[in-house]
Amino acid sequence: MLTYFLFIIGFITLIKGADLLVDGSSSVARRLGVSSMVIGLTIVAFGTSVPELVVNILASMEGSNEIAIGNVLGSNIANILLILGISAIFCPLIVKKDTVWKEIPFALLAVFVLALMSNDAFFDGASSSNLTKIDGLVLISFFVVFLYYIFGLVKRDSQETLPDSVANDTEYSFTRSSAMIIFGIGGLVVGGKWIVDGAISFASGMGVSEALIGLTIVAIGTSLPELATSVVAARKKNVDIAVGNIVGSNIFNIFWILGLSSIIRPIPFPSNLTLDLFVVIAATLLLFITLFVGEKHTIARRDGIIFVLAYLTYIVYLIIRG
């Protein structure tokens, strides 16, 4: 009963945490003189990726490899198809040129790099595929390059006029804004953990595989912070945070979380998850192509519905496969 109670309270904590994180981050953006997109790609993306980081480190240390890999792949798929889809249904998402041509391609690069590293059996004829400590260091190196790019955006923003999406936000004191961000992230982590623990308890007696749990229950559970944050941001018309949160989280998940996890302990890459890796590639390509179909650089409500239907189709496939 306690698990079920915390499962329900987890959703309330998650939504409130997302609300605090969006408002606090927007205020910090205004005070620091940087755009909402930069804040979305950094503070918000990192904050909402904390549940994935915690789950993956624990799963990696315990040798639950399918949960560790499935969590990242499933989260990235859910981020694009489910979360951006739902966010676009609430409010059409107008994506900035830099995001279209730089950040989304960087997210695509991340998954291509992972595909190369996780297919030793195909490329080298090895008996198994593994993400080694060297692979982890390479992934972290790409993450450092991404951070360098972000610092360039911060420097550029400091020399330009703030966009309306930031300039019109409510401004709080730096202390209050920082507290809102900290409590917001805390709410996301605690709420997400309660939800994941409850969901796993529901499924533990069903005899399903770790891969299925990782790709569905754990992935969706750890993506709930991104869902809550992006939907709240979209409803507040802060599209930059809604989109930056998702793109940044997908980059964080592969370069930072899988990189760190494989440094802590090499992770065998199960061959049965290769198809799901290609689904991540397909979802990222779909996002990129969508921005040039119909209204340019916009994820319309129609696109959002298509994204969500595609995700539901994928979940049905996983259930049948599992």
Side-chain angles (χ1 to χ4, degrees):
M1 288 300 297
L2 178 60
T3 301
Y4 300 155
F5 175 74
L6 291 178
F7 181 78
I8 296 172
I9 297 299
F11 278 103
I12 299 173
T13 305
L14 194 78
I15 298 300
K16 185 58 181 177
D19 196 44
L20 288 172
L21 182 59
V22 170
D23 288 345
S25 299
S26 298
S27 178
V28 168
R30 177 176 170 80
R31 285 191 165 273
L32 294 181
V34 297
S35 67
S36 290
M37 179 57 72
V38 171
I39 296 298
L41 286 166
T42 53
I43 296 175
V44 178
F46 181 79
T48 56
S49 291
V50 169
E52 283 94 337
L53 177 61
V54 173
V55 168
N56 264 53
I57 289 178
L58 293 176
S60 178
M61 292 176 66
E62 294 174 4
S64 298
N65 304 310
E66 292 190 354
I67 286 183
I69 299 293
N71 176 37
V72 167
L73 298 182
S75 292
N76 280 22
I77 294 168
N79 282 350
I80 294 175
L81 297 181
L82 179 64
I83 299 174
L84 277 185
I86 292 176
S87 299
I89 292 172
F90 276 100
C91 173
L93 306 175
I94 301 174
V95 183
K96 289 188 173 180
K97 185 177 179 180
D98 276 353
T99 303
V100 174
W101 291 110
K102 296 179 181 178
E103 287 123 30
I104 292 177
F106 204 92
L108 188 59
L109 171 66
V111 68
F112 272 120
V113 170
L114 178 59
L116 291 174
M117 289 182 171
S118 61
N119 279 281
D120 300 330
F122 177 78
F123 291 110
D124 299 329
S127 58
S128 62
S129 298
N130 300 276
L131 289 178
T132 65
K133 291 186 178 182
I134 296 298
D135 292 331
L137 290 173
V138 173
L139 292 174
I140 294 295
S141 298
F142 275 106
F143 182 67
V144 172
V145 172
F146 175 67
L147 291 182
Y148 180 79
Y149 164 73
I150 293 298
F151 289 142
L153 290 182
V154 172
K155 183 177 179 180
R156 184 195 67 185
D157 287 345
S158 66
Q159 301 171 351
E160 296 180 356
T161 303
L162 282 176
D164 291 339
S165 61
V166 177
N168 292 333
D169 284 335
T170 302
E171 183 176 345
Y172 304 102
S173 68
F174 188 78
T175 301
R176 182 175 178 182
S177 299
S178 299
M180 291 170 71
I181 291 173
I182 292 171
F183 280 106
I185 291 175
L188 293 176
V189 174
V190 174
K193 186 180 186 310
W194 286 343
I195 292 170
V196 171
D197 288 347
I200 291 177
S201 295
F202 295 151
S204 61
M206 299 174 63
V208 296
S209 67
E210 281 192 359
L212 181 60
I213 292 176
L215 286 164
T216 54
I217 297 173
V218 177
I220 294 174
T222 56
S223 289
L224 286 175
E226 284 92 341
L227 174 60
T229 302
S230 287
V231 170
V232 168
R235 294 187 65 178
K236 291 175 180 284
K237 308 299 182 183
N238 202 329
V239 174
D240 287 346
I241 283 185
V243 176
N245 170 40
I246 295 305
V247 177
S249 291
N250 277 21
I251 295 171
F252 273 50
N253 284 349
I254 293 177
F255 285 149
W256 171 242
I257 295 176
L258 273 185
L260 184 60
S261 299
S262 55
I263 289 175
I264 293 174
R265 181 174 180 174
I267 306 174
F269 193 97
S271 59
N272 61 316
L273 293 180
T274 301
L275 179 60
D276 304 288
L277 179 59
F278 285 106
V279 174
V280 181
I281 295 176
T284 310
L285 285 173
L286 175 63
L287 171 60
F288 185 75
I289 294 170
T290 297
L291 299 174
F292 298 93
V293 177
E295 190 174 352
K296 191 174 182 181
H297 295 181
T298 299
I299 306 175
R301 285 191 173 91
R302 176 193 67 251
D303 301 321
I305 293 173
I306 293 173
F307 279 23
V308 172
L309 290 176
Y311 185 73
L312 293 177
T313 301
Y314 172 68
I315 291 298
V316 170
Y317 160 74
L318 285 180
I319 294 173
I320 295 174
R321 187 181 78 180

